[in-house]
Amino acid sequence: MTGDASGFVTRVWEHYDAHARDLPWRRTTDPYRVLVSEVMLQQTQVSRVAPKYDEFLEAFPDVAALASARLEEVLRVWRGLGYNRRARSLKLAAEAIVAEHGGRVPDALEGLTALPGIGHATAAQVLAFAFDVGVPFVETNVRSVYLHEFFADAEDVPDAAILPLVAATLDHKRPREWFWALMDYGTHLKATRPNPSRRSRHHVRQAPFEGSNRQLRGRLLAALVDSPGQTADALADTVGFEHGRVEAALAALQSEGLAAAEDGRWRIG
């Protein structure tokens, strides 16, 4: 491991002072809006999330509106973001917030991680950006920063080696802005040099989208949102995939609560 902690902190703040990004979810501390943005940003680029974020909040302006919405409504607005399980988990989280927390997003790590689809990193980001509470976490941009600064010559670096450094350099007086600064610096690094995250033990190169199960699942859900009650044969014709793959994908969607069948006709679950 290489790197100087004090110099590192200075570099991160200097970059942020000069190049801080103006993103829509940084203009609010409303916990619900922050939660929506952080779930959307899981595995999805900022450029794809930004337009959907406003559209989603227009459709579901508060946690009660999302909790009471039908899943097909949520998926219709979510369309284009991919990983539709996140949309279902976000709706289930909203239902839990209404039922178990009086409609208030939890302000503690344990309460947040108990919500469907919310892991440690997402919970810590909600705490930072909604409540200005600093809890160390590792996500893709944070990982890139610490790999670049402290593990310049290392390969196969686990997050367990990075997390103590995140904790040691965390600015507890300004955690909200500090994590924004880290993310902006990480985005800069990935845009200007080989992605440092490729040296992480947890880096996974994404398979091509065209022809993938991700594409098939997205097309099936879109078809069921637009026209529920189709048979598997009709869906295979609609989405342009062979029947066996369609049946397998439908079975998986059913097991995840995203699709359901009655008398051989499929709808959103």
Side-chain angles (χ1 to χ4, degrees):
M1 183 183 78
T2 60
D4 169 69
S6 61
F8 160 71
V9 170
T10 298
R11 282 190 296 279
V12 174
W13 278 128
E14 286 179 346
H15 181 270
Y16 180 71
D17 289 341
H19 304 289
R21 293 178 293 174
D22 179 24
L23 301 172
W25 41 89
R26 292 188 181 180
R27 302 172 201 153
T28 182
T29 57
D30 179 276
Y32 167 68
R33 291 172 176 253
V34 172
L35 177 63
V36 168
S37 70
E38 292 308 323
V39 173
M40 284 186 165
L41 288 162
Q42 294 171 358
Q43 300 176 282
T44 306
Q45 295 175 331
V46 164
S47 59
R48 291 177 58 201
V49 171
K52 279 291 179 182
Y53 174 74
D54 289 333
E55 181 185 350
F56 193 91
L57 290 174
E58 184 175 349
F60 314 108
D62 54 44
V63 70
L66 179 57
S68 62
R70 293 181 299 128
L71 180 57
E72 51 262 46
E73 295 177 71
V74 178
L75 292 176
R76 180 177 289 109
V77 179
W78 191 270
R79 185 181 298 180
L81 284 177
Y83 299 102
N84 289 280
R85 278 175 292 188
R86 294 178 302 162
R88 180 174 181 270
S89 293
L90 182 57
K91 174 175 162 48
L92 291 174
E95 292 175 4
I97 291 167
V98 169
E100 301 168 19
H101 300 277
R104 298 175 64 87
V105 175
D107 59 1
L109 191 69
E110 296 78 7
L112 286 164
T113 55
L115 297 174
I118 307 301
H120 175 88
T122 299
Q125 288 170 86
V126 172
L127 289 176
F129 304 140
F131 302 105
D132 209 18
V133 172
V135 174
F137 66 87
V138 178
E139 57 80 67
T140 179
N141 288 313
V142 171
R143 183 182 292 118
S144 292
V145 168
Y146 285 87
L147 286 169
H148 171 74
E149 291 281 343
F150 295 97
F151 300 91
D153 302 316
E155 300 285 341
D156 197 36
V157 181
D159 284 351
I162 295 173
L163 194 61
L165 292 169
V166 179
T169 54
L170 202 162
D171 189 331
H172 287 280
K173 294 181 179 179
R174 303 167 64 190
R176 177 185 290 121
E177 287 189 283
W178 174 245
F179 283 120
W180 283 345
L182 284 174
M183 291 178 176
D184 289 356
Y185 189 37
T187 299
H188 165 74
L189 290 173
K190 290 192 287 189
T192 57
R193 62 197 69 214
N195 184 358
S197 286
R198 292 174 185 166
R199 295 186 286 104
S200 165
R201 180 173 298 175
H202 311 285
H203 178 70
V204 177
R205 189 179 297 276
Q206 197 168 71
F209 180 71
E210 191 65 30
S212 67
N213 280 336
R214 285 174 52 218
Q215 184 184 49
L216 169 56
R217 287 164 58 94
R219 287 186 180 179
L220 285 171
L221 290 174
L224 292 175
V225 166
D226 290 338
S227 182
Q230 298 186 63
T231 64
D233 286 336
L235 284 165
D237 290 339
T238 300
V239 301
F241 279 78
E242 62 97 8
H243 183 83
R245 286 191 64 187
V246 167
E247 285 197 322
L250 286 170
L253 291 170
Q254 185 175 37
S255 70
E256 295 164 20
L258 285 164
E262 186 174 351
D263 297 327
R265 295 189 175 274
W266 290 86
R267 56 174 173 78
I268 297 298

